[in-house]
Amino acid sequence: MANFDLKDRTAIVGVGNSQYGRRLMRSPIDLAADAIANALDDSGLSRDELDGMIVSFGSPIGADADAIAQLLGLKLRTYNQTWAHGRFTASCIQWAAMIVNAGMADAVACLASVSFSGMRRPMMGGASDREGAREAGGGHGEDPAYGMTSPGAGAALVARRYFDRYGTNSRALASVPVAFRKHASMNPAAIMREPFDVEEHQQSRYVCEPLHLLDYCLINDGAACVIVTTSERARDLKQPPVYISGMQGLPGGSEEFIWAYPGLGVVQQSVFEYEAGLQPVYKMAGVTPKDIDALFTYDAFSILAWIALERFGFCKPGEAPSFTQNGRIEIGGELPINTNGGLLSEAHIMGWNHQVEIVRQLRGEAGLRQVTNAEVIQWANAYGDSIIYRK
Amino acid sequence: MAESESRYLKPLPAISSLNQPYWDALKRRELRMQQCDGCGRIWYPPSPLCPGCWSRKFTWTLLSGRGRVNSWVVFHQAYFHSYENDIPYNVVEVELDEGPRILSNLLDVANHDIRARMPVEVYFDDVTDEITLAKFKPRASE
């Protein structure tokens, strides 16, 4: 039971990003400087007014919080950094909301700055990916002794299980990356902008079957930042506030595998009918899935969008394959998803680029890809963490 | 036998105080997992206590070595140099008759013939003098 109500008590007041690209040949700290400076400019806050920071995903792929603070000459009262996983994106923003409400900082920059390019072999599932050899296995289901490695393989295991359980296939799944690429074609910042169709998806090579290359996110460099402060203070700043209306934490335990909702039956999960839609985030924000104007989700692999849709009650388990057809998740459709193009097409900034896009959508700054009358937008992950934002 | 060890270039499991009995049993050609002396639950991966009832009293019980394919993938990209000649290779998630699921490789079957719920049985693969991996082969349905 929450003993203080954070609904609409905090807001995002500034967003910024660096260039996104492959092999930018710029250090993560350099990229972080662009994202933070742009977010400060956007908000109207001065550097010295920024007294908190939470960094998602530090060294060796990203820039560590302490180094950013030192090299950028920040004066922080509170800072923190998460374990190197994309599933902490919402957590960072949630913790920032709690920090400003607790009076431990007034304005908190939340960001990731990453340089994946050139580190793919050693870091993403290869022989020096030490996480794969972690006691009790890797965080994505890795077991290198059997050649089971890389985050995508864990997602492929879920996809195969899902296909089998619900009688669907890769062709149906293609609707997700096809939609996101279409969105990216309207986004000048996106790295991959050339649209493709279902046939091209089917013909792209397998990386870990049943997932094709076009089911996989990009591997790139870049940084993105959002600044959180109290709603009271936000109302006096340069931009219209984007309120954090509801949030729920990242669940863990034996029924939770990061790429699958509970009950699907991978790893040590039980098999049962998941009751979707009964999520605290909706109660806190006072809305239901029907009120959500656009959805953003961590799309390191296409299947994760299906899992998120079902977990958060946009449709029932097994219905995501039909839900995502016929333009329904595209801009102009009933529920546009990842209008920036997502990790699959805009850039892989751990979901931080998605937070920037959400704010721009709610401010009406999204240009060609603007969702009409966007007032309530949700970030909701296959993993179960979520934030509901409103203008 | 150092010679045979040096020829095995694929990743080896990380042995810890928790999982040592699991690997010791495989070396003896036995698939054993922890079973709670209180509630009877059998679990994997190895844990200091029963994830169900938190009892610390458990027995490393002998399993049947039989199970079914729950899910599987086929790697078309090698993330380790030592797997390059095996591409495309499968990784299966086997649901053991006793409940727990483990990752492994399925031998003696073409990748495109792997099916969900296919019955399988354990095969002990002595990859080095120290390490035996639990792999699986198809078994006749009954």
Side-chain angles (χ1 to χ4, degrees):
Chain A
M1 203 62 162
N3 58 11
F4 57 109
D5 181 7
L6 292 188
K7 178 180 190 243
D8 298 329
R9 289 268 301 272
T10 49
I12 296 190
V13 293
V15 295
N17 57 277
S18 73
Q19 180 191 359
Y20 303 144
R22 286 184 160 150
R23 298 191 178 279
L24 294 177
M25 309 308 285
R26 293 176 60 190
S27 85
I29 291 174
D30 185 12
L31 295 166
D34 280 4
I36 295 171
N38 289 337
L40 282 171
D41 281 351
D42 184 54
S43 69
L45 289 164
S46 71
R47 178 181 53 158
D48 287 346
E49 289 175 291
L50 187 71
D51 57 357
M53 181 168 68
I54 303 188
V55 169
S56 164
F57 212 144
S59 168
I61 291 173
D64 284 325
D66 53 356
I68 292 172
Q70 184 188 354
L71 297 181
L72 271 51
L74 303 179
K75 293 168 186 150
L76 305 179
R77 288 199 285 142
T78 300
Y79 78 93
N80 208 339
Q81 178 172 317
T82 70
W83 187 25
H85 280 276
R87 63 184 180 271
F88 296 102
T89 308
S91 297
C92 291
I93 295 170
Q94 292 167 357
W95 296 335
M98 292 186 280
I99 284 168
V100 296
N101 271 286
M104 294 170 71
D106 289 326
V108 181
C110 304
L111 73 147
S113 177
V114 293
S115 178
F116 282 102
S117 299
M119 299 202 71
R120 180 178 181 205
R121 279 288 174 187
M123 282 309 301
M124 303 308 287
S128 24
D129 182 357
R130 296 299 304 158
E131 195 181 2
R134 194 178 68 163
E135 184 171 2
H140 312 96
E142 296 96 331
D143 195 341
Y146 297 97
M148 180 68 180
T149 186
S150 89
L157 199 71
V158 167
R160 176 68 77 187
R161 169 73 188 156
Y162 185 99
F163 292 173
D164 177 61
R165 181 166 173 177
Y166 297 116
T168 186
N169 55 37
S170 165
R171 177 169 285 272
L173 182 58
S175 58
V176 171
V178 164
F180 295 179
R181 181 61 60 84
K182 195 169 168 183
H183 297 165
S185 74
M186 295 179 251
N187 177 4
I191 295 173
M192 300 292 278
R193 303 185 56 197
E194 189 64 34
F196 58 83
D197 61 18
V198 173
E199 291 310 322
E200 288 168 274
H201 171 272
Q202 291 294 288
Q203 284 158 21
S204 70
R205 70 178 170 88
Y206 283 122
V207 179
C208 192
E209 190 179 347
L211 295 185
H212 292 265
L213 180 67
L214 292 176
D215 293 308
Y216 275 66
C217 62
L218 307 179
I219 295 290
N220 55 249
D221 306 340
C225 175
V226 305
I227 298 174
V228 175
T229 189
T230 60
S231 296
E232 191 180 359
R233 185 153 182 236
R235 289 190 264 274
D236 299 328
L237 294 176
K238 192 166 138 191
Q239 298 286 1
V242 166
Y243 295 100
I244 296 174
S245 213
M247 52 193 193
Q248 71 182 44
L250 180 64
S254 56
E255 289 297 340
E256 299 287 347
F257 177 60
I258 59 170
W259 299 150
Y261 57 75
L264 190 64
V266 290
V267 196
Q268 308 304 330
Q269 290 180 322
S270 313
V271 179
F272 59 86
E273 284 302 316
Y274 186 63
E275 282 194 66
L278 306 173
Q279 305 274 338
V281 68
Y282 296 119
K283 192 178 175 196
M284 181 172 173
V287 300
T288 73
K290 288 187 172 48
D291 300 310
I292 304 300
D293 297 316
L295 178 67
F296 285 74
T297 193
Y298 195 79
D299 57 330
F301 310 103
S302 56
I303 183 76
L304 305 188
W306 279 3
I307 301 290
L309 279 169
E310 296 181 3
R311 182 164 193 151
F312 284 89
F314 291 95
C315 57
K316 290 188 162 55
E319 292 181 353
S322 58
F323 187 95
T324 55
Q325 307 302 315
N326 305 317
R328 200 176 192 173
I329 61 167
E330 294 175 12
I331 293 161
E334 184 184 321
L335 182 72
I337 305 183
N338 290 2
T339 57
N340 55 336
L343 304 174
L344 286 166
S345 285
E346 185 193 41
H348 187 346
I349 317 293
M350 318 308 302
W352 291 93
N353 46 324
H354 301 49
Q355 312 308 314
V356 168
E357 173 79 359
I358 290 168
V359 170
R360 289 179 178 151
Q361 283 282 357
L362 288 172
R363 288 181 188 166
E365 297 173 348
L368 283 177
R369 56 186 196 285
Q370 181 65 46
V371 173
T372 313
N373 300 324
E375 294 189 355
V376 182
I377 294 184
Q378 185 175 8
W379 166 258
N381 267 338
Y383 327 138
D385 59 296
S386 184
I387 300 176
I388 291 176
Y389 299 95
R390 72 163 180 88
K391 58 193 280 197
Chain B
M1 300 294 272
E3 195 183 328
S4 69
E5 277 183 44
S6 67
R7 278 202 294 268
Y8 189 78
L9 299 173
K10 290 175 180 168
L12 289 166
I15 311 292
S16 73
S17 61
L18 283 181
N19 66 26
Q20 181 83 54
Y22 175 81
W23 295 105
D24 287 349
L26 287 182
K27 200 175 167 185
R28 297 191 305 269
R29 298 179 130 58
E30 294 169 351
L31 183 60
R32 287 183 184 269
M33 288 181 181
Q34 292 158 290
Q35 179 167 29
C36 182
D37 292 348
C39 70
R41 180 193 187 108
I42 297 176
W43 68 86
Y44 189 87
S47 163
L49 40 69
C50 172
C53 71
W54 265 37
S55 167
R56 283 187 174 261
K57 293 195 171 124
F58 56 81
T59 305
W60 282 90
T61 198
L62 184 66
L63 306 190
S64 66
R66 295 150 72 91
R68 288 174 186 269
V69 171
N70 184 58
S71 188
W72 77 99
V73 297
V74 178
F75 278 77
H76 291 258
Q77 179 167 321
Y79 291 86
F80 298 91
H81 291 306
S82 51
Y83 273 95
E84 279 169 4
N85 293 332
D86 296 342
I87 295 291
Y89 67 88
N90 69 65
V91 176
V92 293
E93 186 179 78
V94 173
E95 182 170 310
L96 298 165
D97 285 356
E98 292 83 358
R101 300 193 190 103
I102 60 174
L103 290 170
S104 185
N105 306 119
L106 188 56
L107 311 176
D108 295 351
V109 63
N111 291 331
H112 57 80
D113 287 333
I114 301 174
R115 296 286 180 270
R117 293 174 297 284
M118 176 185 261
V120 297
E121 63 191 356
V122 72
Y123 166 79
F124 298 99
D125 189 357
D126 299 317
V127 297
T128 70
D129 288 347
E130 300 301 319
I131 295 294
T132 299
L133 297 178
K135 297 189 178 174
F136 287 82
K137 293 184 174 185
R139 67 179 158 91
S141 190
E142 69 269 12

